[in-house]
Amino acid sequence: MLKILKYSYYDLIRSRWSYVYFLFYLALGFVLLFLNNDLSKAVITLMNVIIVLVPLIGTIFGVMYFYNSKEFTELLLAQPLKRSSIFLGQYFGVAGSLTLSLILGLGIPFTLYGLFKSNAIWDFSLLLATGAFLTLIFTALAFNIAISNENRIKGFGYAVLLWLFLAVVYDGLFLMSLIVFEEYPLDSYSLLATMLNPIDLSRTLILLKLDISALLGYTGAVFKQFFGTDAGLMVSVAMLSMWTVLPLWRLAYKSKHKDF
Amino acid sequence: MMVKCHSLSLLVMLLLGNAVWGSILEVCPSCSIKSIKEAVAAASDFDTILIKKGVYKEFNILLNKPLTLLGEGLPLIDGEDQGEVITITADQVTVDGLKIINVGTSYTTDFAAIRVIKSKDFLIQNMVLEKLFFGIYLEKAQNGRIYHNQIFGDAEEEFNSGNGIHLWYCQNIEVDRNMVQKVRDGIYLEFSDNINIKNNISTNNVRYGLHFMFSNNDVYENNTFENNGSGVAVMFSKKIKMRNNNFRKNWGTNSYGLLLKEINDAEIFGNVFEENSVGITIEGSNRLQYDNNDFINNGWAVKVKGACYENVFRNNNFLYNSFDLSYNSKLNDNIFDHNFWSGYTGYDLDKNGIGDVPYRPVKLFSYIVNRTPETIILLRSLFMDIIDFSEKVSPIFTPDQLFDASPLMKRFK
Amino acid sequence: MILIENLHKKFGKNEVLSGVDLEIKGGGIFAILGPNGSGKTTLIKSILGMVIPNKGAILVDGKSIRKNWKYRQHIDYLPQIANFPGNLRVKELIRMIQDLRQKPSEADQLIGFFDLKPFLDKKLGTLSGGTKQKVNIVLTFMFDSPLIILDEPTNGLDPASLLRLKELILVEKNKGKTFLITSHIMQFVEEMADEIVYLLEGKIYFRGTKEALMARTGQSDFEHAIAAIATTPADA
């Protein structure tokens, strides 16, 4: 698997797209810092970017890479290699290069602007860690979609729909359900609903750092327990790991039963 | 340090116009006078009782004549939980440089480390009070000064704890440079007018850092209120001036930096509200001036509940609050003008430093959170951004008259 | 060498292989022929483990290939569409396959043979179809495996390269290797194949030498014989 990872990564690291992705983050970082020079505010703006854009790029890029490397995959399949290592290797190649683009692209400008001397370093590290998780999760979901759909157009469609659903529609439904059932205690429900969507979960994880004062203003005991302690952080990280591992597991399973 | 305090206290005594210069009685475990009570009994008016370093197990020390109680090397008075420690009933009393511990706790009587009853021209300074119920309790007192005391309580619950500095029916008192921690209310005022509270640090208190009830014409400035149940509550009071205070990290359910409830004609200038669940909660308060305050990283910078009229917010900085403003009604009679809002995304084509499009500080989301508090979990989600944007374009739920027509482009300095 | 028993494969409702039995003993060139959609590629891919059969067994060298991937160490495969990761250079691709297989290879010799030297530093994405096919051939032949599977090997090749390919196949055959080849170019098949396996409607319709095929169809021309076989009754 490590060999496949190496070659997929090697291939990607030299593709135009990972440069575009890298340069995009680099430019974003510099522009943000140039415009307001305030690390903490830039971190807030970045959060929005990471929550929305990273999943989108992870999804699109994952699907694209999977379909584009179909022939390469077939070449590998004829080699004496285990199937699951072929796909997991490719997956880690893609997810790894995306994550690297993200971390370097944002890390360089922020480091140049004195990140290490600033209090924002923890917020920023959390942001990057969350971004990395989201990349892993959404690339894995994208691979799942692609491996289950031979038709590229369909695959792309589903991938974009998945992103749209998790990034926007889910929250809309969530909000409506909260308002409709506002008479009932909703603490546990809303925490659970948050856990079930990796984007919401990542957002909450960052909120724990950025908007803790607002979150602690709310009365619910469950909320308080969750946000007031490190338990919230730990549960969130555990859930994000689940979100990464489950699609990978399905990917490995699907790959063993698929015809090429 | 002590030498400096002594010279300072002597100076203060002179300033107080203590014309008659009394003699000095020394108290120490090996002196002829071994207890403070003995010394008080032996002293005549305007004498100074010099208490040497040592431990004095005494309570109910009544100062009923104009005396100066001066500690040397911070002598310790242990009340052994028996009741009140020092009670002052005479005018022109000074208490300086003592440490008092173990004040009695009672559910029927408010025992204090030092109680002042109906006296005038007193000075209480350089005291250290620990293991206490009430700290310094002023009752119908006038023209006194509470200066540079340290009060460290160990309060956990509201119902069985007392206040650090408590003023009841007082006039013209100055409360300066005190440090109050872990009591119920750091500083409490009830029916007290013309009080000046400055340079105090009130932290980790169970209820409020500073609490006003039915008190008028008071000033508090340059104080720091941090990590209290809530920072400061000003209730049923008039003409309070609040200047250059720091309200920080008052976190929690119904927690706020500053609560303004049924108060009128106050001035709130130059304060900093940082990292509070709510910066200011305003309820039924009218004709207040908010100028040049900084609201930084609060959950809500300002929460307006109930009817509030003719409040003016000008030249304030609203920086990175989760919500700038929350209203629970569609009515608005308050003015927001020339503030800096970090959430402002408008432009300034004529370069006059004022944004060309108005800023609407009330977000639809803040309205939704008011209705269904659980929705707070959707804070900063893309969906909320989208509906906030649509509300911004055409306000339906939020007060449409509420906007800052001249938002500043740069932070007000 | 290869033993296939009662092989079935469906793609959705479409039954592609319906009970294929085939035994191929070592040595010689076997052409797998059949009309479009008759299951040639599916059969090849089943042997390679790329398609997972619904029913039946495939044994390579006496071992079942189910849940087994190591047997592929002894198979070289030339895929039909030679499309490689566009960002890799030719040299890197060759090195990568060598790296993956960990077997001795004769890449340099083959590169010389197919005049690929000038392209070694080019990215695969910039190569023409014919050059890619040559790279593909190099990748396939550079290892010394007893079984070689070629799916449309002549695609995109210029006449000179085609001649070299034929030469290469014959050289390897003479070493005692087994070839499975599919091709639409009947001239190529006629020239190279020792035995014909003709698939029709998911079954082996005919298996035998070229001479047997022509005798059975009564045609004197190989191409016509192939075209005619589907209409000739099996028991004729």
Side-chain angles (χ1 to χ4, degrees):
Chain A
M1 184 175 93
L2 284 175
K3 272 180 196 159
I4 312 285
L5 191 157
K6 188 173 94 188
Y7 288 107
S8 293
Y9 181 76
Y10 208 51
D11 172 35
L12 272 162
I13 211 78
R14 284 188 290 166
S15 89
R16 207 159 8 115
W17 285 107
S18 33
Y19 283 120
V20 169
Y21 192 50
F22 168 69
L23 289 175
F24 167 76
Y25 278 121
L26 198 68
L28 182 78
F30 275 118
V31 166
L32 275 180
L33 289 166
F34 177 74
L35 283 182
N36 48 43
N37 230 319
D38 181 341
L39 280 177
S40 346
K41 196 193 175 185
V43 165
I44 293 180
T45 316
L46 272 183
M47 175 187 127
N48 292 322
V49 171
I50 282 191
I51 294 292
V52 175
L53 226 51
V54 164
L56 182 65
I57 291 176
T59 318
I60 298 292
F61 215 80
V63 173
M64 209 165 74
Y65 182 83
F66 190 94
Y67 286 132
N68 279 347
S69 61
K70 195 166 178 269
E71 285 80 22
F72 179 49
T73 310
E74 289 186 7
L75 179 75
L76 292 177
L77 281 166
Q79 306 299 326
L81 294 167
K82 227 168 122 180
R83 276 194 177 192
S84 51
S85 19
I86 294 174
F87 290 99
L88 291 181
Q90 289 189 346
Y91 163 76
F92 282 114
V94 176
S97 77
L98 287 180
T99 307
L100 199 74
S101 298
L102 172 77
I103 288 176
L104 287 183
L106 290 180
I108 290 171
F110 275 75
T111 310
L112 290 181
Y113 271 79
L115 174 72
F116 291 112
K117 289 178 215 134
S118 141
N119 308 331
I121 180 147
W122 288 113
D123 296 351
F124 186 74
S125 319
L126 179 76
L127 214 58
L128 288 188
T130 316
F133 254 124
L134 282 176
T135 307
L136 291 177
I137 291 169
F138 277 85
T139 313
L141 292 174
F143 266 58
N144 267 286
I145 289 175
I147 204 170
S148 308
N149 288 283
E150 280 296 310
N151 185 334
R152 273 167 201 242
I153 307 289
K154 258 192 181 169
F156 266 104
Y158 286 139
V160 171
L161 277 182
L162 175 83
W163 172 80
L164 200 65
F165 179 77
L166 289 177
V168 186
V169 179
Y170 185 91
D171 288 345
L173 296 174
F174 186 11
L175 180 72
M176 291 214 302
S177 67
L178 285 175
I179 290 175
V180 168
F181 297 108
E182 64 182 354
E183 308 293 317
Y184 300 89
L186 293 169
D187 276 20
S188 315
Y189 165 74
S190 52
L191 279 182
L192 185 76
T194 308
M195 293 288 160
L196 294 179
N197 178 344
I199 295 184
D200 278 355
L201 190 60
S202 312
R203 190 170 44 74
T204 316
L205 200 61
I206 300 172
L207 287 185
L208 282 174
K209 284 265 167 265
L210 291 183
D211 290 273
I212 186 73
S213 33
L215 294 169
L216 284 176
Y218 172 63
T219 40
V222 180
F223 262 52
K224 224 173 174 178
Q225 230 177 5
F226 186 79
F227 293 123
T229 60
D230 285 338
L233 188 78
M234 302 221 293
V235 172
S236 306
V237 170
M239 275 308 287
L240 284 177
S241 312
M242 282 264 286
W243 264 104
T244 317
V245 171
L246 284 182
L248 281 186
W249 177 80
R250 185 181 176 272
L251 179 68
Y253 175 84
K254 269 269 159 187
S255 72
K256 275 184 201 138
H257 294 84
K258 191 180 157 67
D259 299 320
F260 290 90
Chain B
M1 178 68 197
M2 282 316 285
V3 176
K4 199 178 163 191
C5 287
H6 286 174
S7 54
L8 196 69
S9 58
L10 287 171
L11 189 75
V12 171
M13 276 186 278
L14 287 172
L15 286 176
L16 278 174
N18 198 344
V20 191
W21 197 237
S23 54
I24 297 177
L25 288 82
E26 286 196 0
V27 183
C28 68
S30 56
C31 302
S32 56
I33 305 173
K34 290 190 169 50
S35 79
I36 302 163
K37 272 191 194 158
E38 270 175 70
V40 172
S44 17
D45 288 4
F46 305 109
D47 279 354
T48 296
I49 298 172
L50 184 65
I51 305 168
K52 303 271 189 167
K53 196 173 167 88
V55 179
Y56 302 87
K57 299 197 168 169
E58 295 184 57
F59 64 98
N60 284 346
I61 302 165
L62 178 66
L63 301 181
N64 54 3
K65 41 190 147 185
L67 294 174
T68 296
L69 230 58
L70 183 62
E72 194 183 274
L74 205 64
L76 176 72
I77 306 178
D78 184 345
E80 295 187 300
D81 297 323
Q82 299 291 316
E84 204 134 277
V85 179
I86 296 176
T87 312
I88 298 166
T89 56
D91 295 346
Q92 291 178 295
V93 170
T94 298
V95 181
D96 185 351
L98 304 171
K99 179 170 181 178
I100 299 176
I101 61 167
N102 294 330
V103 178
T105 303
S106 155
Y107 294 100
T108 49
T109 318
D110 292 342
F111 292 132
I114 304 168
R115 178 183 296 269
V116 181
I117 306 172
K118 294 185 188 166
S119 358
K120 291 179 183 139
D121 307 320
F122 55 89
L123 168 67
I124 298 170
Q125 64 178 2
N126 305 320
M127 303 292 289
V128 177
L129 312 180
E130 285 174 18
K131 296 185 180 153
L132 50 99
F133 186 42
F134 278 76
I136 299 168
Y137 197 122
L138 310 182
E139 194 179 317
K140 299 194 175 170
Q142 286 180 30
N143 308 329
R145 188 157 184 242
I146 314 282
Y147 177 80
H148 196 264
N149 302 290
Q150 295 178 25
I151 304 175
F152 302 112
D154 38 24
E156 301 283 343
E157 304 280 348
E158 261 182 46
F159 67 89
N160 60 359
S161 54
N163 301 324
I165 299 169
H166 185 111
L167 284 75
W168 186 67
Y169 280 108
C170 292
Q171 297 266 347
N172 300 318
I173 311 280
E174 190 180 283
V175 181
D176 189 8
R177 279 171 221 270
N178 300 286
M179 193 185 275
V180 192
Q181 292 183 6
K182 291 203 84 176
V183 291
R184 182 171 60 196
D185 289 347
I187 302 167
Y188 177 84
L189 285 80
E190 194 173 349
F191 305 112
S192 293
D193 302 338
N194 302 311
I195 311 292
N196 189 344
I197 300 168
K198 55 188 183 184
N199 307 318
N200 301 287
I201 300 174
S202 182
T203 56
N204 300 312
N205 296 298
V206 176
R207 194 166 65 183
Y208 300 120
L210 169 62
H211 189 179
F212 289 83
M213 294 292 274
F214 312 106
S215 299
N216 305 323
N217 299 307
D218 302 319
V219 179
Y220 69 97
E221 51 195 354
N222 299 319
N223 301 288
T224 298
F225 306 100
E226 189 169 322
N227 205 12
N228 300 295
S230 282
V232 174
V234 184
M235 298 165 145
F236 310 101
S237 301
K238 284 176 199 150
K239 296 189 178 161
I240 308 285
K241 292 187 166 65
M242 322 177 196
R243 299 193 197 114
N244 304 323
N245 300 289
N246 254 302
F247 303 78
R248 304 191 68 233
K249 294 196 172 168
N250 299 293
W251 280 348
T253 307
N254 291 324
S255 202
Y256 30 75
L258 173 59
L259 167 70
L260 303 170
K261 185 169 179 161
E262 306 287 334
I263 78 157
N264 294 323
D265 307 295
E267 287 176 9
I268 300 160
F269 291 172
N271 301 286
V272 177
F273 299 86
E274 200 171 354
E275 294 184 42
N276 304 287
S277 279
V278 181
I280 308 184
T281 301
I282 312 167
E283 245 180 285
S285 297
N286 309 312
R287 298 182 301 279
L288 269 48
Q289 299 287 327
Y290 303 79
D291 245 56
N292 202 3
N293 301 291
D294 287 348
F295 298 88
I296 309 168
N297 287 326
N298 300 288
W300 284 259
V302 177
K303 213 169 195 172
V304 180
K305 291 177 170 179
C308 296
Y309 300 105
E310 294 178 54
N311 294 291
V312 181
F313 290 80
R314 212 184 291 272
N315 296 331
N316 300 289
N317 295 311
F318 291 84
L319 307 168
Y320 324 125
N321 303 292
S322 302
F323 302 96
D324 289 323
L325 188 57
S326 135
Y327 257 61
N328 65 349
S329 73
K330 275 204 73 172
L331 273 176
N332 174 45
D333 187 49
N334 303 310
I335 296 165
F336 293 85
D337 198 29
H338 282 87
N339 299 290
F340 174 75
W341 312 85
S342 63
Y344 183 61
T345 50
Y347 44 83
D348 178 22
L349 290 183
D350 51 7
K351 302 270 179 219
N352 61 353
I354 291 166
D356 299 346
V357 282
Y359 178 72
R360 293 187 171 278
V362 180
K363 298 272 186 292
L364 174 58
F365 187 33
S366 113
Y367 169 86
I368 293 172
V369 170
N370 263 345
R371 232 186 93 161
T372 317
E374 287 86 355
T375 54
I376 186 80
I377 199 132
L378 290 167
L379 184 62
R380 293 194 199 281
S381 64
L382 181 58
F383 182 77
M384 287 318 310
D385 288 351
I386 293 171
I387 67 167
D388 271 346
F389 179 77
S390 61
E391 175 74 10
K392 188 167 122 184
V393 174
S394 59
I396 299 166
F397 299 98
T398 53
D400 53 353
Q401 290 304 307
L402 203 166
F403 52 78
D404 188 334
S406 346
L408 300 177
M409 293 306 288
K410 286 214 169 93
R411 188 172 166 171
F412 186 81
K413 292 259 159 78
Chain C
M1 172 149 246
I2 302 175
L3 181 66
I4 299 173
E5 283 173 343
N6 194 27
L7 195 68
H8 284 76
K9 180 66 195 175
K10 273 187 193 170
F11 290 110
K13 280 180 186 166
N14 183 15
E15 188 159 25
V16 179
L17 298 180
S18 45
V20 173
D21 291 294
L22 181 66
E23 186 179 6
I24 291 175
K25 296 222 167 79
I29 298 174
F30 296 82
I32 298 175
L33 305 178
N36 294 332
S38 61
K40 294 172 300 213
T41 301
T42 306
L43 183 64
I44 285 175
K45 286 186 170 181
S46 297
I47 296 170
L48 284 162
M50 293 165 72
V51 165
I52 293 157
N54 299 106
K55 217 166 106 185
I58 301 173
L59 281 79
V60 174
D61 289 333
K63 279 183 226 144
S64 169
I65 64 162
R66 267 182 78 91
K67 303 204 168 160
N68 183 0
W69 49 271
K70 294 200 173 89
Y71 74 97
R72 285 200 287 271
Q73 186 77 341
H74 309 295
I75 302 178
D76 289 328
Y77 170 57
L78 180 89
Q80 192 170 20
I81 308 163
N83 221 339
F84 305 114
N87 293 301
L88 287 181
R89 288 168 211 282
V90 175
K91 207 161 63 179
E92 285 160 352
L93 179 70
I94 292 171
R95 203 176 301 142
M96 173 181 126
I97 299 291
Q98 287 169 336
D99 186 25
L100 290 173
R101 284 218 145 178
Q102 300 289 345
K103 267 172 86 171
S105 76
E106 306 168 344
D108 293 342
Q109 198 193 324
L110 285 169
I111 288 164
F113 190 63
F114 282 101
D115 299 331
L116 281 172
K117 272 229 168 68
F119 299 99
L120 281 180
D121 281 321
K122 293 237 161 69
K123 288 196 170 181
L124 286 154
T126 62
L127 297 186
S128 74
T131 315
K132 272 188 196 168
Q133 185 68 355
K134 284 195 239 170
V135 173
N136 204 1
I137 291 167
V138 170
L139 291 176
T140 310
F141 282 90
M142 66 186 182
F143 299 108
D144 188 26
S145 303
L147 177 61
I148 297 169
I149 299 174
L150 308 176
D151 198 353
E152 299 289 350
T154 56
N155 266 3
L157 289 184
D158 56 63
S161 304
L162 185 60
L163 278 174
R164 284 179 193 150
L165 174 66
K166 288 181 193 165
E167 196 181 315
L168 191 61
I169 293 175
L170 289 175
V171 167
E172 295 297 314
K173 178 190 148 188
N174 291 336
K175 289 181 187 167
K177 294 188 179 178
T178 313
F179 281 85
L180 293 186
I181 299 178
T182 70
S183 181
H184 284 105
I185 315 293
M186 284 311 127
Q187 209 191 333
F188 178 77
V189 174
E190 184 179 11
E191 204 176 317
M192 306 299 297
D194 297 320
E195 234 176 284
I196 308 292
V197 176
Y198 193 88
L199 281 175
L200 187 68
E201 288 168 359
K203 284 199 173 78
I204 307 258
Y205 190 76
F206 171 82
R207 175 171 175 187
T209 57
K210 284 176 280 186
E211 293 71 27
L213 175 78
M214 284 191 277
R216 177 160 155 188
T217 49
Q219 300 281 343
S220 53
D221 177 59
F222 180 70
E223 208 160 347
H224 283 95
I226 291 289
I229 187 166
T231 54
T232 313
D235 51 341

